[in-house]
Amino acid sequence: MNFEKLLSIPHKRFNPLLSEWVLVSPHRTRRPWLGKMEKVPAAPAVTYDPNCYLCPGNKRANGKQTPQYVETYTFDNDYPALLPEAEPLQHEQHGLLVGQAERGICRVLCFSPRHDLTVPRMSLRELRGVIDAWADQFSALAHNSWIRHIQIFENRGELMGASNPHPHCQIWATASLPNLPARENESFRYYRAEKHSCLLCDYLHLELQRNERVVCQNEAFAVVVPFWAVWPFETLVLSKRHIGSLNQLSGEECDLLGDILRRITIRYDNLFETAFPYSMGFHQSPTDGESHEAWHLHAHFFPPLLRSATVRKFMVGYELLGSPQRDLTPEAAAQRLVAAGETHYLDRAAGQSQP
Ligand code: H2U
Ligand code: ZN
């Protein structure tokens, strides 16, 4: 173990969840930057936007009515990527042209009636409502015998392709395991068979012991910049208890999940004093009727920003053709997130304290 060298010389790091490598080039952080400067999209200041499809009482794009909801609101996506009914389809030629039918249920979940209320700005009570809605949706969708995987994810910000600033997430429930959860599933099972313990329980234990990449934690959750992070400020939210899904959390743990999500998203916003864009999502155990004891509930945050509110990392060149690569070390990224603090920058001037 030669930790100092990891901070200074080019090397590769192994991602045990996906069984792949990422290149780390710490010496390159000194090179000059002549890249793109993007304009920062202004945050929406209005609590209600008459033109927003997701604000209470408004008509959606296809003419359907969004009700006067007061907490969260979940509806079937009007433009779903998958449909619950699919005609049988098996296409195979020479093992090279292979196609299969896929079925799914796609939903949208609005976090709040307020158009401007993003996760870091929500109260703990409001966040608890969102977490309860996630757990309820997971349970309800898992009830369908043909649903084998449920992906809850949020795209925040135009930079990540969010189509609407109104805080919301999507839920895609599918008849088969998507690529990345399938690889994680293999890794969890393999690790358990080899070591007779859980990959992420052991990883969390190491991270808490070493304290090199821990950003924040409470009694039930910890946030780390994973050793194998690809995106500059990527984080992993780990439950401290070995459970597989959100609907296994106790009431107290749901509150603590709200606390940790609020704290990490405040840190993100503070980092470049902007509404920090990201894709985040929970990886929960497959719902195919198997027990999946090896699976450990976690969430990934994948934010694209690198140097400022306007300079992002692109996955291009070597990353598309070879392996992902990063310059800023995960350790340095964790330090930056620790230093970013947990009082939202918009509250600092007003001198407000956290609830
Ligand atoms: P994103 O912002 O992550 O793209 O999610 C918004 C989803 O909301 C998107 O999948 C759906 C889009 O299909 N949507 C509706 O179902 N109805 C609408 O009126 C607008 C958007
Ligand atoms: Zn709205």
Side-chain angles (χ1 to χ4, degrees), residues 75-84 104-108 141 170-174:
F75 62 95
D76 283 334
N77 198 314
D78 301 315
Y79 307 95
L82 291 162
L83 299 167
I105 299 173
C106 299
R107 293 186 174 154
V108 178
L141 288 162
Q170 295 194 48
I171 304 171
W172 294 22
T174 48

Side-chain angles (χ1 to χ4, degrees), residues 158-316:
E158 280 174 32
L159 220 55
M160 293 312 287
S163 56
N164 188 319
H166 195 117
H168 64 280
C169 71
Q170 295 194 48
I171 304 171
W172 294 22
T174 48
S176 61
L177 264 183
N179 296 342
L180 299 178
R183 279 163 68 188
E184 288 194 355
N185 196 35
E186 283 302 305
S187 303
F188 278 130
R189 291 161 81 115
Y190 178 77
Y191 189 93
R192 187 177 156 97
E194 287 283 303
K195 310 235 186 204
H196 308 288
S197 58
C198 164
L199 192 163
L200 284 182
C201 282
D202 287 0
Y203 176 63
L204 175 63
H205 184 74
L206 270 179
E207 286 292 5
L208 295 180
Q209 209 173 41
R210 297 184 64 87
N211 202 24
E212 287 148 355
R213 288 166 295 272
V214 179
V215 177
C216 53
Q217 60 173 311
N218 60 27
E219 293 87 330
F221 292 91
V223 181
V224 301
V225 177
F227 181 74
W228 53 84
V230 167
W231 293 93
F233 294 97
E234 175 179 335
T235 56
L236 188 59
V237 181
L238 296 162
S239 68
K240 290 192 172 175
R241 197 156 66 85
H242 182 75
I243 49 168
S245 49
L246 291 168
N247 59 355
Q248 294 174 311
L249 293 171
S250 68
E252 196 184 339
E253 286 170 328
C254 287
D255 285 337
L256 288 164
L257 178 56
D259 170 71
I260 213 73
L261 291 178
R262 188 169 187 277
R263 288 164 59 189
I264 182 59
T265 53
I266 287 175
R267 288 180 183 279
Y268 275 144
D269 278 11
N270 285 351
L271 198 60
F272 300 131
E273 303 211 339
T274 191
F276 203 81
Y278 57 71
S279 273
M280 76 80 72
F282 291 92
H283 276 159
Q284 309 187 67
S285 66
T287 57
D288 53 4
E290 309 273 320
S291 65
H292 291 289
E293 277 156 26
W295 194 280
H296 190 120
L297 170 70
H298 59 283
H300 297 275
F301 274 89
F302 298 121
L305 292 183
L306 174 62
R307 284 159 197 262
S308 70
T310 58
V311 179
R312 61 164 293 171
K313 176 183 174 70
F314 288 97
M315 287 288 181
V316 294

Side-chain angles (χ1 to χ4, degrees), residues 327-344:
D327 298 344
L328 179 74
T329 62
E331 293 70 31
Q335 276 173 21
R336 298 271 303 276
L337 284 168
V338 167
E342 292 185 351
T343 300
H344 197 277

Side-chain angles (χ1 to χ4, degrees), residues 47-49 52-56 58 69 113-115 164-167:
T47 56
Y48 168 78
D49 176 352
C52 169
Y53 301 123
L54 306 181
C55 272
N58 290 357
Y69 63 101
R114 260 184 63 183
H115 187 76
N164 188 319
H166 195 117

